[in-house]
């Protein structure tokens, strides 16, 4: 679940990895940001920049707590992508750095990927398989052009592609991307929809124990849910989805899904008080001070002080000056999530889309949606299948559909669920009359 995670502090098994990831991002992103903007060249898509960190540092790489190697891929392309996605460079750096940096979601998928949230929940770091990494580099130009032509794309927004390697450790590839779900709103129900029914069921009897589990296609159908967008938003949504699926089919991508987070306005935010969340993140950590009932995450210089630091940081980026670590505020001025600054037609209502009836009157839900897990190439699935085939004769669970069929099935399913309840009722009446 998005809001509840394990705080990654010095005692956490992945502390060093997480710390190094963020140090690498901070140094490489501020290095690229510090240069004067220029047009992209073909070489930018292939580019990679390697840095070696150690405790002494040198004129190119500042000193770091631990020894590690860091690779930044296509830094100029991702700088452009961040701009196309309307991210503020200073906000990006501030979100991904600071003292209490991340919370870890463990590995929610079967893939073995790890997910980390930036401390303000705006960004997700996902470790990816080497094959996914190579694939993203291969399709980067297509992806970039697609984002340029479709600034409101529903596809995962990639903000950075990096690799970290510790002494004697494995190479860890990871992407930074958007958290589809807002920091300031409870998500009451989550669905991950592929348009397939095989194995696409979350056992609802487990919901009691795990009320925020991600539900799947069969749960959606059983609950007779509708994605109610009203006429206008529905048209925009399906048009964009169509264009996105055309790209996914052309690049032979599959296994992606539509992630839907639903905020129920009638339930509000009562379950996700920030203070509560912070306590979860401070299990046995440093003791909260008496004047700070919320725990150490909030024990920071005053808001004013942070706002000043944030202003200075913005100025440094604008003036292309190098940024010392202490310059990055421990807590951002907007850490408590006053509103959501995401721009885009699918984020127009408090960071998401307000559910809307057919007659255009608003309904009591906000949807947060996007297409995720879109780095699986058909060839990889085929290889995995082949491997399993050797082990067992039961392939039904993993039988891979070619990307064209996958995309059509996916689109048709999503189009189907956007039918309004009113239209579904009319259709049923017609059927009854026959
Ligand atoms: P698998 O390949 O087994 O499906 P994976 O490790 O590739 O798993 P994803 O499918 O990318 O993982 O994501 C797993 C879950 O993590 C999603 O169902 C969703 O709950 C959450 N998640 C992933 N990406 C995002 C995102 N951008 N915003 C919010 N939540 C996300
Ligand atoms: Ca997935
Ligand atoms: Ca996956």
């Amino acid at each position: 679940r998005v809001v509840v995670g394990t705080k990654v502090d010095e005692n956490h098994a992945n502390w060093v990895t997480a710390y190094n990831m963020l140090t690498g991002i901070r140094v490489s992103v501020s290095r690229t940001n510090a240069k004067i903007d220029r047009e992209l060249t073909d070489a930018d898509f292939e580019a990679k920049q390697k840095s070696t960190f150690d405790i002494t540092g040198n004129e190119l790489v500042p000193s770091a707590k631990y020894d590690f190697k860091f690779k930044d891929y296509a830094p100029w392309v991702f700088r452009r992508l961040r701009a196309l996605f309307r991210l503020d460079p200073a906000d990006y750096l501030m979100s991904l750095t600071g003292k209490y940096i991340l919370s870890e979601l463990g590995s929610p998928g079967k893939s073995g990927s790890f997910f980390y949230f930036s401390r303000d929940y705006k960004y997700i770091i996902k470790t990816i398989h080497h094959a996914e990494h190579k694939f993203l580099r291969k399709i980067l130009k297509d992806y970039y052009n697609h984002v340029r032509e479709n600034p409101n794309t529903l596809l995962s927004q990639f903000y950075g592609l990096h690799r970290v390697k510790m002494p004697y450790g494995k190479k860890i590839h990871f992407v930074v991307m958007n958290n589809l779900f807002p920091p300031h709103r409870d998500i009451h129900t989550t669905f991950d929809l592929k348009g397939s029914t095989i194995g696409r069921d979350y056992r609802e009897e487990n919901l009691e124990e795990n009320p925020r589990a991600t539900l799947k296609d069969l749960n959606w159908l059983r609950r007779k849910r509708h994605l109610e967008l009203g006429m206008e938003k529905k048209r925009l949504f399906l048009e964009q989805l169509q264009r996105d699926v055309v790209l996914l089919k052309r690049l032979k991508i599959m296994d992606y899904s539509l992630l839907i987070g639903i905020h129920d306005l009638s339930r509000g935010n009562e379950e996700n008080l920030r203070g509560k969340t912070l306590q979860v993140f401070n299990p046995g950590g440093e003791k909260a001070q008496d004047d700070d009932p919320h725990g150490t995450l909030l024990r920071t210089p005053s808001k004013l002080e942070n706002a000043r630091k944030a202003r200075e940081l913005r100025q440094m980026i604008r003036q292309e000056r190098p940024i010392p670590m202490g310059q990055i505020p421990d807590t951002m001025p907007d850490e408590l999530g006053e509103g959501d600054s995401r721009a885009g037609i699918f984020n127009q209502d408090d960071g998401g889309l307000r559910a809307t009836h057919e007659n255009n009157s608003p309904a009591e839900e906000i949807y947060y949606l996007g297409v995720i897990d879109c780095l699986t190439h058909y060839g990889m699935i085929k290889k995995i299948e082949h491997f399993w085939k050797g082990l067992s004769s039961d392939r039904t669970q993993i039988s891979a559909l070619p990307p064209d069929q996958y995309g059509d099935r996916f689109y048709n399913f999503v189009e189907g669920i956007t039918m309004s309840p009113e239209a579904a009722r009319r259709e049923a009446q017609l059927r009854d009359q026959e």
Side-chain angles (χ1 to χ4, degrees), residues 111 126 132 255 373 376:
S111 69
K126 179 184 180 184
E132 292 177 291
D255 224 32
D373 204 8
T376 310

PDB file of all heavy atoms in Angstrom, residues 111 126 132 255 373 376, ligand 3:
ATOM      1  N   SER A 111       7.652  -9.842  -9.425  1.00  0.00           N
ATOM      2  CA  SER A 111       8.859  -9.631 -10.213  1.00  0.00           C
ATOM      3  C   SER A 111      10.119  -9.521  -9.362  1.00  0.00           C
ATOM      4  O   SER A 111      11.215  -9.644  -9.866  1.00  0.00           O
ATOM      5  CB  SER A 111       8.716  -8.348 -11.014  1.00  0.00           C
ATOM      6  OG  SER A 111       8.739  -7.254 -10.130  1.00  0.00           O
ATOM      7  N   LYS A 126      11.711   2.503  -8.386  1.00  0.00           N
ATOM      8  CA  LYS A 126      11.452   1.073  -8.584  1.00  0.00           C
ATOM      9  C   LYS A 126      12.722   0.432  -9.109  1.00  0.00           C
ATOM     10  O   LYS A 126      13.264   0.885 -10.113  1.00  0.00           O
ATOM     11  CB  LYS A 126      10.306   0.875  -9.584  1.00  0.00           C
ATOM     12  CG  LYS A 126       9.989  -0.604  -9.866  1.00  0.00           C
ATOM     13  CD  LYS A 126       8.908  -0.779 -10.937  1.00  0.00           C
ATOM     14  CE  LYS A 126       8.634  -2.263 -11.179  1.00  0.00           C
ATOM     15  NZ  LYS A 126       7.657  -2.497 -12.271  1.00  0.00           N
ATOM     16  N   GLU A 132      14.732  -5.077 -18.323  1.00  0.00           N
ATOM     17  CA  GLU A 132      13.848  -3.903 -18.411  1.00  0.00           C
ATOM     18  C   GLU A 132      14.671  -2.630 -18.614  1.00  0.00           C
ATOM     19  O   GLU A 132      14.288  -1.725 -19.346  1.00  0.00           O
ATOM     20  CB  GLU A 132      13.023  -3.774 -17.128  1.00  0.00           C
ATOM     21  CG  GLU A 132      12.004  -4.867 -16.920  1.00  0.00           C
ATOM     22  CD  GLU A 132      11.280  -4.719 -15.588  1.00  0.00           C
ATOM     23  OE1 GLU A 132      11.923  -4.916 -14.531  1.00  0.00           O
ATOM     24  OE2 GLU A 132      10.080  -4.405 -15.597  1.00  0.00           O
ATOM     25  N   ASP A 255       1.866  -6.935 -20.547  1.00  0.00           N
ATOM     26  CA  ASP A 255       1.822  -7.173 -19.114  1.00  0.00           C
ATOM     27  C   ASP A 255       1.576  -5.913 -18.298  1.00  0.00           C
ATOM     28  O   ASP A 255       1.566  -5.954 -17.068  1.00  0.00           O
ATOM     29  CB  ASP A 255       3.126  -7.841 -18.651  1.00  0.00           C
ATOM     30  CG  ASP A 255       2.829  -8.969 -17.689  1.00  0.00           C
ATOM     31  OD1 ASP A 255       1.779  -9.592 -17.859  1.00  0.00           O
ATOM     32  OD2 ASP A 255       3.620  -9.186 -16.759  1.00  0.00           O
ATOM     33  N   ASP A 373       3.800  -0.445 -15.109  1.00  0.00           N
ATOM     34  CA  ASP A 373       4.543  -1.671 -15.398  1.00  0.00           C
ATOM     35  C   ASP A 373       4.666  -1.861 -16.908  1.00  0.00           C
ATOM     36  O   ASP A 373       4.362  -2.944 -17.425  1.00  0.00           O
ATOM     37  CB  ASP A 373       3.844  -2.872 -14.726  1.00  0.00           C
ATOM     38  CG  ASP A 373       4.807  -4.029 -14.482  1.00  0.00           C
ATOM     39  OD1 ASP A 373       6.024  -3.845 -14.687  1.00  0.00           O
ATOM     40  OD2 ASP A 373       4.341  -5.121 -14.103  1.00  0.00           O
ATOM     41  N   THR A 376       7.869  -4.381 -19.936  1.00  0.00           N
ATOM     42  CA  THR A 376       8.051  -5.799 -20.248  1.00  0.00           C
ATOM     43  C   THR A 376       7.900  -6.020 -21.740  1.00  0.00           C
ATOM     44  O   THR A 376       6.828  -5.817 -22.311  1.00  0.00           O
ATOM     45  CB  THR A 376       7.028  -6.671 -19.491  1.00  0.00           C
ATOM     46  OG1 THR A 376       7.053  -6.303 -18.118  1.00  0.00           O
ATOM     47  CG2 THR A 376       7.379  -8.145 -19.630  1.00  0.00           C
TER      48      THR A 376
HETATM   49 CA1  LIG B   3       6.552  -6.194 -13.988  1.00  0.00          CA
END
